[in-house]
Amino acid sequence: MKIFRLLIIPVLVFTLSRCSMDLATELDYKSYEFSGIDQNAGTWKPILMASGSDIALDEPTAVSSQEFLAEVAGVKSRILAMSSDEKKNVEYWTNNSVIRWNEVALGLIAKYNLIPGPNEDDSYTLPNPANLAGPPVFPFAHPPYASRALAYLSVAQYDGLIAAWHYKFRYQRSAPYQVDADIPHAYVSNNLPSYPSEGAVLATVSRKILTAMFPLEAEYLMRLEQQHLESLILAGENVPSDVEAGKKIGEEIATIALARASNDGMKNAQAPKAVSDSLRAAAFERFGWQWENLESPSRPVGLTPLFGKVKMWSVQNVEDTRPGIPPVPGSEAFNKDVKALQDYADNVTQERRKTANFWQDGLGTYTPPGHWNDIAGEFILKYKFNSIRTARVFAYMNMAIMDGGVSCWDAKYYYYYPRPIQMIKDFETIAGTPNFPAYTSGHSVFSAAAAEVLTYLFPQEGNVFHKWAEEAAISRVYGGIHWTFDATVGTAQGRNVAQYTIDVARSDGADN
């Protein structure tokens, strides 16, 4: 996957400057001691359920029972027979596998973030869930698709872990390495009860959600799930009954999440030409302008015209977050912006080009939503969050990112505002111009929403997050594909949308 990564290992000093970013594919971390284990997290309010007790689990057998002791003996035997490849799997998944499954998702997004090209007759065929292998393959993991996939994954993980914590601290069953001192423990001990296995929750729920989002990867994801489940036994963390209980939670919460996904409106987001044309006509009637797709051959429909109608997580009515009218072409404010963009184009500095390229997150990458997930992982490790705190970060950040995307796409196709390349004669860009309207900037909204939630979760790092969000926004102006007001208004829009999510987060009990 493409990304310039902030390399952090928990024991190292964190560097804030962007020049510290280095090319890598996944976070380099091992198991670590958590900053806390959140014994009361089972009482936190989930997002998809009323409470963690909504998923029923049977009481586990006692640690003194013959059944449990037989499981412990089996764990010991299995560890003694562990292969070198299995040992690598144990090391890979660590004691915070939320980050690993997030990285799996980012890799799939990058793999499928490939826009379908034209047919021989210059027509276009859309990815079709009824014809997964295509061509073109399904899905096209563009930024709206990526934001939704990450939101459902993270929310389901978070809710599943709330259920796991509910039962962990209700039953307080010891882990096999705590019961038998001869069992080696592969991870740093954090004294979490072992029933149900939080790792098994994550393995199963992640496999199910990601398979729904990337159905061609079903076999690959099943292998990952199995490797992860096996690693829980081989690490000395769990006995098989811990794992089975965790799998049950994962199955049930994934079913709840996917039921919501099936009815959230995403299936209609890539609207037919007649719908797209009606949006264009309505904008022209309201405002007297319209965006034109300058691709050759031109696609008949821009990217996901009805993504702005998809069900949001924390906002009841998308119009409550819709920004005001952009400058009228030919007005003083518009002409001022034209001059600013022409100045940027005529004076492309190395630093501006570097900024535009760094935040581009275009085709073949994990998109702007993925970029902010990557950033979040660094800070999670810096502050040594446990798995449920980690899931909470990703859940609320990705809810805000997706809600920001829905709000942004509502504005894009309501205003249907032209891109600079359409309005400025002989204008040249240093970034590829996307095939959807300009106002507001998706990068700006995604980044501001993510930065705002991360600032709530890591308040001491707020200046850093806001600086990066503003840099991501201006990068699109430097690239020549957005007006400055696309970026500035988009930044304000993203912050506004994020407040809805933060209000939900403040009431879940985790801050108590």
Side-chain angles (χ1 to χ4, degrees):
M1 68 182 77
K2 172 264 175 193
I3 184 58
F4 291 91
R5 182 177 293 282
L6 296 160
L7 286 177
I8 303 173
I9 300 175
V11 297
L12 298 183
V13 176
F14 180 67
T15 306
L16 296 180
S17 65
R18 197 189 57 187
C19 63
S20 69
M21 298 182 184
D22 201 322
L23 186 66
T25 55
E26 65 185 31
L27 281 166
D28 180 15
Y29 74 102
K30 298 179 180 180
S31 76
Y32 58 93
E33 182 178 355
F34 301 145
S35 58
I37 60 173
D38 289 305
Q39 293 97 323
N40 70 335
T43 67
W44 296 353
K45 181 175 173 54
I47 295 159
L48 296 168
M49 306 183 292
S51 73
S53 62
D54 282 6
I55 295 175
L57 280 188
D58 293 333
E59 183 175 355
T61 56
V63 295
S64 59
S65 69
Q66 289 301 311
E67 183 179 351
F68 179 78
L69 293 175
E71 286 194 285
V72 171
V75 169
K76 187 188 297 186
S77 298
R78 187 69 185 84
I79 291 173
L80 288 173
M82 180 166 38
S83 70
S84 58
D85 284 344
E86 288 172 330
K87 185 176 181 180
K88 289 178 181 177
N89 280 334
V90 171
E91 294 172 350
Y92 169 76
W93 288 107
T94 80
N95 61 349
N96 187 355
S97 55
V98 179
I99 292 174
R100 290 298 185 222
W101 280 106
N102 182 269
E103 290 174 339
V104 170
L106 300 187
L108 294 176
I109 288 166
K111 179 178 179 179
Y112 284 85
N113 183 16
L114 298 172
I115 191 169
N119 300 316
E120 290 186 2
D121 62 357
D122 289 344
S123 65
Y124 288 93
T125 303
L126 295 174
N128 185 349
N131 180 26
L132 296 175
V137 297
F138 178 89
F140 168 28
H142 46 68
Y145 194 93
S147 72
R148 178 175 175 268
L150 290 166
Y152 277 101
L153 173 66
S154 302
V155 167
Q157 288 174 335
Y158 181 47
D159 277 18
L161 290 183
I162 290 176
W165 250 250
H166 170 77
Y167 290 106
K168 277 181 179 295
F169 288 94
R170 177 177 177 179
Y171 294 123
Q172 299 274 351
R173 186 158 85 167
S174 299
Y177 74 89
Q178 295 170 318
V179 174
D180 187 335
D182 292 334
I183 292 180
H185 187 207
Y187 301 147
V188 173
S189 178
N190 285 286
N191 295 315
L192 276 172
S194 68
Y195 179 92
S197 164
E198 71 273 20
V201 174
L202 292 166
T204 297
V205 73
S206 301
R207 185 263 304 170
K208 286 200 70 173
I209 297 294
L210 290 176
T211 298
M213 299 297 170
F214 301 95
L216 285 173
E217 302 297 330
E219 291 185 11
Y220 163 68
L221 291 164
M222 187 73 78
R223 288 196 303 272
L224 285 184
E225 178 192 27
Q226 190 57 39
Q227 290 169 4
H228 189 188
L229 293 173
E230 289 173 353
S231 77
L232 301 170
I233 304 294
L234 296 173
E237 287 267 290
N238 300 121
V239 296
S241 57
D242 297 331
V243 171
E244 288 304 313
K247 288 169 60 179
K248 181 178 186 294
I249 292 175
E251 290 278 355
E252 292 194 26
I253 193 59
T255 298
I256 293 170
L258 293 175
R260 182 191 192 278
S262 69
N263 293 299
D264 70 357
M266 186 65 180
K267 67 183 72 170
N268 302 316
Q270 191 59 52
K273 187 174 185 299
V275 173
S276 179
D277 287 349
S278 70
L279 295 172
R280 178 200 303 271
F284 187 77
E285 183 176 350
R286 288 189 201 102
F287 309 115
W289 62 63
Q290 57 186 2
W291 164 74
E292 299 289 345
N293 188 355
L294 300 184
E295 286 181 292
S296 181
S298 179
R299 294 176 195 273
V301 179
L303 182 69
T304 56
L306 295 184
F307 186 63
K309 304 294 185 184
V310 171
K311 184 178 180 180
M312 302 170 83
W313 292 96
S314 306
V315 181
Q316 292 299 312
N317 185 352
V318 68
E319 293 183 19
D320 292 341
T321 65
R322 184 182 291 164
I325 300 173
V328 175
S331 67
E332 181 179 353
F334 177 84
N335 291 336
K336 182 179 179 181
D337 220 66
V338 169
K339 290 181 181 179
L341 264 68
Q342 287 174 324
D343 179 69
Y344 287 138
D346 293 341
N347 298 281
V348 178
T349 65
Q350 183 177 358
E351 182 63 23
R352 287 174 182 172
R353 186 182 294 276
K354 182 179 178 182
T355 298
N357 290 337
F358 175 75
W359 291 103
Q360 187 161 343
D361 297 322
L363 297 174
T365 75
Y366 50 34
T367 75
H371 198 150
W372 282 94
N373 277 256
D374 192 31
I375 288 170
E378 312 286 352
F379 287 86
I380 286 165
L381 291 180
K382 178 182 176 182
Y383 289 96
K384 300 184 179 180
F385 277 16
N386 60 46
S387 55
I388 195 166
R389 284 276 171 185
T390 298
R392 184 172 184 262
V393 170
F394 284 128
Y396 287 122
M397 183 187 70
N398 285 316
M399 287 165 62
I401 288 174
M402 179 179 163
D403 281 1
V406 172
S407 178
C408 178
W409 254 251
D410 167 74
K412 284 181 180 294
Y413 284 95
Y414 179 77
Y415 290 115
Y416 232 94
Y417 201 78
R419 295 269 179 177
I421 197 171
Q422 180 183 335
M423 303 298 289
I424 304 175
K425 184 178 180 181
D426 300 325
F427 188 68
E428 295 185 2
T429 70
I430 61 174
T433 300
N435 67 321
F436 42 87
Y439 183 81
T440 52
S441 159
H443 276 57
S444 304
V445 178
F446 289 134
S447 297
E452 208 68 15
V453 172
L454 289 178
T455 296
Y456 155 67
L457 295 164
F458 303 98
Q460 60 274 59
E461 307 287 359
N463 289 339
V464 176
F465 298 136
H466 287 144
K467 176 184 175 183
W468 286 344
E470 290 166 4
E471 186 180 88
I474 196 64
S475 76
R476 310 304 279 167
V477 182
Y478 291 161
I481 63 175
H482 272 293
W483 308 99
T484 59
F485 48 80
D486 293 342
T488 56
V489 177
T491 297
Q493 182 182 10
R495 290 172 178 168
N496 176 41
V497 171
Q499 286 304 317
Y500 288 81
T501 303
I502 292 169
D503 288 345
V504 174
R506 290 190 194 280
S507 67
D508 75 353
D511 293 338
N512 297 340

